[in-house]
Amino acid sequence: MTTEQILAFTVIAGMMVAFMWDRFRYDIVACSALLVAVAVGVVPFDKAFSGFSDDIVIIVGSALIVSSAVARSGIVDFVIKRYLPEMRSKGLQLAFLMLTVAVMSAFIKNIGALAIMMPVAFQFARKSGSPVSYYLMPMAFSALLGGLMTQIGTSPNIVVSRLREEMTGQSFSMFDFTPVGLALTVVGILFLTFGYRLLPVRAKQQASVEDILDQASYTAEATLASDSVLVDKPLRELLRLGDGDVIARTILRGPRRISPFPDVKLKSGDTVMLEGSPEGLDRMVSQAKLILSGKPLTERGEKVVDLVSMEAVISNVSPLNGMSARELALSYTRGVNLIAVSRRGHRVSERLSDLTLQTGDVLLLQGNRKNVPLMLQEFSLLPLAQREILLGVQRRAFVPLLVLAAAMAAAGSGLVPVSVAFFAAAFMMIVAGAIPLTEVYKSVDGPILVMLAALIPVSDSLRTSGASELISHWLGGVAQGLPPFAALGLILLTAMAVTPFLNNAATVLVMGPIAAGFATTLGFRPEAFLMAVAIGAGCDFLTPIGHQCNTLVMGPGGYRFSDYPRLGFPLSIMIVIVSIPMLLYVWPVS
């Protein structure tokens, strides 16, 4: 080996040890590896930051924005309530998510399928009371498996089809991959349905400010609109939308107060006093078409579009202490609505307009993005820790789905590259107001993108230093004289080992000719060996850096680097065991 090759191997080996040690955050490790690689000369100065312009970084960042916009739209809640109301079993939820992602991944970009279904996973996790980490990694692995089923499902299949055409004059067809890919997908999903238990539950050592705030219970007034789907329906139908997070305190029908028995039929114009979490109240208000207290806010005679909801606590010097919302008339004087109140240790029974405010009360205010901060300053209100409150915020339910569908169609038809399609989709989400500007950069997981950008030139040092060719020559010597199943297994395992450090398509380009050479040397047909390369390159279950699907779920799932092999290693073994006999059966080597 040359000095440059030794240094490239050393840098990458040290990086992998640091990842597994898990002492420092993954982006710090990746940046350290990049600086070391530049310092020892395996990454040229002019290539040090090439990763920041790589398509993978754009795809992952854009997918996170798109996923956040879909989650904000409320359409996920609607679909779950409408079509999957009784799916509360964690096993059924996980199986449904994995099957859906796998089938979608066979025909669209697997990271796109994963991004679409991630908000559903968060809803299911909340409904079942399970950590979302139980859902996201199995979904990412299912997306990788689903991509194996068709020619367009994943980049390695497309590249290996081209290699076969160059070698034999005939490309693989669209569904040549289906028999083996389908078998692997079924086996993989069956394993993951039960194997997710291998993932550790990571309990937070300390409660964050957001966790403490989540325990706060707000009281809000919501009135049934005439077009609400719950008019003439019993109260229990309304409370079901809150998934147990919201209770009804009383029903106001004109001057009458009606006890909130579950079988009381709701009428148009009824006002229900609700108590619960902001998330539960939001689900109930948005899905049942309820109208919160306050008046429609206008500015220069036009309806305010850029509404925000913000939490604030009444300080001991605030002039609001001892006053009621009716006396303040905030809607008319400040262009702000008081839509909910939380009073610790006390259940609010009065109407919000009649409630005498006290020091320590937490107010949920709705207003223009410019007006609310001014009111906080004027009335000496203390804003709480920044967290996204959707209650009272206007959303365009179907815009994210339409934008995402258009992006998928454009990418799937080959009109534009996937990176451009996703970037355009993320930009359109912002322009259409599906996600506000203040939330865009919060939804992008910065550490993940920095890690990806730093790792790309480090991983590429294997190729530029000639280390990948060295590996190829070594494999060529080992493969001589091996029987078909052993040679096939060697190619598959090598592709699985290489793909975390190279792009999966690059893995096929490096390993494909080697696999074909094996077949020729041993006197066998090359199809099974080329398929083995595609499967190995498409099945990176051991690291979060080998495929963007694994990277996409790392931050939202709270995973550590070492979590991936805990679930991925047994899955990889199962894939190898099933792949080899299936390949030899579907693609005979002689």
Side-chain angles (χ1 to χ4, degrees):
M1 286 192 294
T2 65
T3 301
E4 188 179 10
Q5 291 168 350
I6 293 174
L7 290 173
F9 280 127
T10 302
V11 170
I12 289 179
M15 179 186 70
M16 296 302 293
V17 170
F19 275 134
M20 297 299 292
W21 189 26
D22 210 17
R23 180 71 179 273
F24 303 101
R25 204 171 68 180
Y26 42 84
D27 55 330
I28 300 298
V29 173
C31 290
S32 300
L34 175 61
L35 291 175
V36 171
V38 172
V40 300
V42 296
V43 173
F45 292 127
D46 60 342
K47 298 293 183 182
F49 305 115
S50 59
F52 287 91
S53 62
D54 194 277
D55 284 357
I56 293 178
V57 176
I58 302 300
I59 291 171
V60 171
S62 300
L64 287 169
I65 295 175
V66 170
S67 178
S68 179
V70 172
R72 285 179 57 90
S73 70
I75 194 68
V76 173
D77 285 309
F78 173 78
V79 171
I80 292 175
K81 294 293 183 187
R82 182 71 178 270
Y83 301 105
L84 305 168
E86 304 302 327
M87 189 176 289
R88 295 181 179 272
S89 166
K90 184 164 55 182
L92 286 176
Q93 292 173 347
L94 184 56
F96 166 78
L97 290 170
M98 290 191 295
L99 282 170
T100 304
V101 169
V103 172
M104 293 172 64
S105 296
F107 301 99
I108 63 175
K109 189 69 175 176
N110 42 25
I111 192 172
L114 182 60
I116 293 172
M117 297 304 293
M118 277 177 62
V120 184
F122 281 99
Q123 295 295 333
F124 279 168
R126 180 191 50 77
K127 181 182 290 188
S128 66
S130 303
V132 74
S133 57
Y134 278 167
Y135 296 84
L136 295 184
M137 190 184 295
M139 287 171 63
F141 290 172
S142 298
L144 299 184
L145 290 169
L148 301 177
M149 292 193 289
T150 64
Q151 184 186 33
I152 64 171
T154 186
S155 300
N157 290 1
I158 298 173
V159 177
V160 85
S161 297
R162 190 181 69 194
L163 285 176
R164 188 199 183 199
E165 185 176 15
E166 292 175 356
M167 295 172 183
T168 67
Q170 182 180 1
S171 173
F172 287 118
S173 67
M174 176 73 169
F175 297 104
D176 279 346
F177 299 85
T178 304
V180 179
L182 179 60
L184 296 179
T185 301
V186 171
V187 170
I189 289 178
L190 287 175
F191 167 76
L192 292 170
T193 302
F194 303 98
Y196 73 88
R197 294 178 177 87
L198 295 172
L199 291 170
V201 177
R202 304 215 174 268
K204 293 183 179 179
Q205 298 299 317
Q206 296 180 350
S208 65
V209 175
E210 287 78 8
D211 295 329
I212 297 172
L213 292 176
D214 284 340
Q215 301 173 11
S217 182
Y218 279 96
T219 298
E221 295 179 15
T223 302
L224 260 72
S226 58
D227 59 344
S228 172
V229 295
L230 291 177
V231 172
D232 295 327
K233 296 291 180 64
L235 178 63
R236 70 170 67 90
E237 296 291 330
L238 174 63
L239 297 179
R240 186 175 294 148
L241 299 177
D243 280 340
D245 292 341
V246 181
I247 62 174
R249 307 300 306 166
T250 190
I251 301 173
L252 304 174
R253 185 173 294 167
R256 296 173 54 200
R257 281 180 174 259
I258 301 174
S259 298
F261 294 115
D263 57 349
V264 172
K265 287 192 175 182
L266 300 172
K267 302 294 183 182
S268 175
D270 282 355
T271 298
V272 186
M273 297 286 291
L274 300 170
E275 181 181 335
S277 67
E279 293 78 12
L281 290 169
D282 177 57
R283 290 195 301 273
M284 190 174 287
V285 168
S286 60
Q287 294 175 37
K289 292 186 178 181
L290 303 180
I291 303 172
L292 291 169
S293 57
K295 75 179 189 69
L297 298 177
T298 59
E299 189 173 279
R300 298 186 184 91
E302 297 183 359
K303 188 176 181 180
V304 175
V305 176
D306 190 19
L307 289 178
V308 296
S309 294
M310 186 176 296
E311 297 167 289
V313 62
I314 299 178
S315 69
N316 57 358
V317 296
S318 173
L320 296 185
N321 188 24
M323 299 186 68
S324 69
R326 190 188 303 276
E327 293 172 323
L328 291 168
L330 295 175
S331 300
Y332 297 94
T333 60
R334 302 297 187 280
V336 174
N337 284 328
L338 174 63
I339 58 176
V341 174
S342 176
R343 178 171 293 174
R344 189 171 184 83
H346 177 75
R347 284 185 170 175
V348 177
S349 57
E350 304 98 315
R351 299 202 63 166
L352 294 187
S353 58
D354 299 327
L355 177 67
T356 300
L357 302 176
Q358 300 176 4
T359 299
D361 285 350
V362 181
L363 312 180
L364 188 54
L365 303 169
Q366 176 201 57
N368 183 281
R369 195 174 296 274
K370 296 179 294 184
N371 292 347
V372 176
L374 293 176
M375 180 187 165
L376 300 186
Q377 184 178 12
E378 180 181 356
F379 289 98
S380 300
L381 301 178
L382 305 176
L384 293 184
Q386 289 188 356
R387 63 168 179 165
E388 187 179 25
I389 298 293
L390 297 179
L391 180 62
V393 176
Q394 298 168 344
R395 281 164 285 172
R396 296 164 175 81
F398 292 100
V399 168
L401 291 185
L402 293 175
V403 171
L404 186 56
M408 289 297 183
S413 63
L415 293 176
V416 295
V418 174
S419 56
V420 175
F422 265 86
F423 183 81
F427 179 73
M428 289 306 299
M429 297 289 189
I430 299 168
V431 172
I435 180 170
L437 286 172
T438 54
E439 301 298 330
V440 171
Y441 293 105
K442 293 179 184 179
S443 64
V444 175
D445 198 330
I448 291 292
L449 299 186
V450 171
M451 180 193 72
L452 274 177
L455 285 183
I456 287 169
V458 175
S459 299
D460 195 48
S461 65
L462 284 178
R463 179 186 61 82
T464 57
S465 66
S468 58
E469 294 181 10
L470 188 67
I471 296 172
S472 302
H473 290 307
W474 175 77
L475 285 175
V478 173
Q480 294 295 330
L482 290 179
F485 72 89
L488 205 57
L490 178 62
I491 290 296
L492 181 58
L493 288 172
T494 305
M496 282 184 169
V498 170
T499 192
F501 308 104
L502 296 176
N503 178 275
N504 50 16
T507 299
V508 176
L509 290 172
V510 171
M511 292 297 302
I514 298 173
F518 286 166
T520 302
T521 302
L522 297 172
F524 298 130
R525 296 174 58 84
E527 286 79 8
F529 292 87
L530 291 174
M531 284 283 186
V533 171
I535 292 170
C539 291
D540 173 33
F541 305 126
L542 300 179
T543 72
I545 59 176
H547 195 280
Q548 55 264 43
C549 285
N550 293 353
T551 308
L552 183 63
V553 300
M554 187 177 183
Y559 299 118
R560 299 179 183 177
F561 194 94
S562 57
D563 291 340
Y564 286 80
R566 294 185 64 156
L567 184 62
F569 184 71
L571 178 60
S572 298
I573 293 175
M574 189 170 296
I575 293 300
V576 172
I577 293 173
V578 176
S579 295
I580 295 174
M582 282 296 299
L583 286 171
L584 292 174
Y585 175 75
V586 177
W587 299 98
V589 296
S590 57

